[in-house]
Amino acid sequence: AEEELANSEQRFREMFERTSSAVAVYQAVDEGKDFIIVDFNPAAERIEKIKKQNLLGHRVTEIFPGVGEFGILDVFCRVWKTGQPEHYPLKLYKDQRNAGWRDNYVYRLPGGEIVALYDDVTDRILSEQAREKLMKELQIKNEELENIVFIASHDLRSPLVNIQGFAGELQKSCRELTVLLGRENLGETIVKDVRRILDEDIPESLNFISDGTSKMDALANGDRNS
């Protein structure tokens, strides 16, 4: 029985020392108002950036002065009194020496000691926060870009409307001149030259203006295939 107990204790010590999660063991003092640190595994040393020999025998409120504001001290007291384990969900712990996001599971041993089993998830939280910040910044940039495109499109389309309007007026004037030339008794050469200008040169130029403005208007509306 003694050998089996020794083996069991050895297995427990191996798990305690090798687990990647922090494990801290506390003994209640002052009727559960505070707790003495009685054991601390290597993972806890790494997470809390403190050596085990520097905190054993000290009060948790002395080594970790932020436990009250953090809320875990009340959990220790309840678990010590009731014996009911509690999961203390993810929260940011901070004091003048250390800070980080902790996810705690607290339970009571048969001898009355309180065990806090927890993980440091600061890197994960910071990554999620950075991702959320980046997504918000991208959303803002996209909205700004959409506004710029809208304004540019509006500014580009406004003179195009004017150009198209004046081109239409020129086409109308050409038609009216053509009608008038048919009625006036003008020299044949003059009439021929004016008709050439009205029937060929001006319409050709107006067609180029109309086609160009149509393509620019299509581009302003985002139609690249026009």
Side-chain angles (χ1 to χ4, degrees):
E2 291 179 356
E3 183 179 356
E4 183 177 349
L5 179 60
N7 290 336
S8 177
E9 290 177 350
Q10 180 62 29
R11 287 195 297 270
F12 169 77
R13 178 53 56 179
E14 287 290 328
M15 289 187 294
F16 180 82
E17 296 291 337
R18 296 181 183 276
T19 181
S20 61
S21 296
V23 183
V25 184
Y26 305 97
Q27 181 70 53
V29 292
D30 300 336
E31 298 181 352
K33 294 180 181 179
D34 207 343
F35 292 82
I36 299 294
I37 303 170
V38 296
D39 211 345
F40 216 64
N41 77 337
E45 290 182 294
R46 172 180 52 80
I47 290 173
E48 303 300 349
K49 300 179 180 63
I50 191 171
K51 292 297 183 181
K52 177 177 178 178
Q53 61 266 25
N54 296 331
L55 49 79
L56 292 184
H58 292 273
R59 292 173 178 255
V60 67
T61 53
E62 176 188 351
I63 302 299
F64 302 104
V67 290
E69 183 179 356
F70 182 61
I72 196 71
L73 191 62
D74 293 334
V75 177
F76 288 174
C77 185
R78 285 197 303 271
V79 172
W80 176 72
K81 288 181 178 179
T82 67
Q84 296 296 320
E86 289 191 27
H87 172 230
Y88 192 61
L90 189 63
K91 191 175 179 181
L92 176 64
Y93 172 85
K94 58 182 178 179
D95 57 34
Q96 294 180 347
R97 183 184 58 82
N98 198 12
W101 290 86
R102 309 285 189 259
D103 190 26
N104 280 266
Y105 183 76
V106 183
Y107 61 95
R108 191 179 72 184
L109 296 174
E113 298 94 343
I114 298 298
V115 177
L117 177 67
Y118 62 96
D119 289 295
D120 177 74
V121 293
T122 304
D123 290 343
R124 190 191 80 193
I125 295 297
L126 292 178
S127 296
E128 291 175 354
Q129 290 176 343
R131 180 178 177 276
E132 291 177 0
K133 181 181 178 182
L134 178 60
M135 293 301 293
K136 289 180 180 178
E137 290 177 350
L138 287 176
Q139 183 179 358
I140 293 173
K141 294 300 181 183
N142 285 335
E143 291 174 354
E144 291 177 350
L145 181 59
E146 289 177 359
N147 290 334
I148 292 172
V149 170
F150 175 79
I151 293 171
S153 175
H154 179 271
D155 291 345
L156 181 61
R157 194 177 297 113
S158 179
L160 289 176
V161 171
N162 292 332
I163 293 172
Q164 288 174 331
F166 284 116
E169 290 295 324
L170 283 173
Q171 289 172 335
K172 180 181 178 182
S173 298
C174 287
R175 289 192 297 269
E176 291 176 351
L177 284 171
T178 301
V179 173
L180 291 174
L181 285 173
R183 297 176 182 176
E184 296 292 338
N185 187 17
L186 299 175
E188 184 178 347
T189 302
I190 296 175
V191 171
K192 184 179 179 180
D193 290 339
V194 172
R195 283 191 180 280
R196 178 181 56 77
I197 294 171
L198 291 174
D199 295 339
E200 298 178 13
D201 296 344
I202 293 178
E204 183 181 13
S205 298
L206 291 173
N207 285 334
F208 279 123
I209 293 173
S210 181
D211 290 343
T213 54
S214 296
K215 290 181 180 179
M216 291 179 69
D217 186 56
L219 288 173
N221 286 317
D223 185 3
R224 296 180 178 271
N225 296 320
S226 298

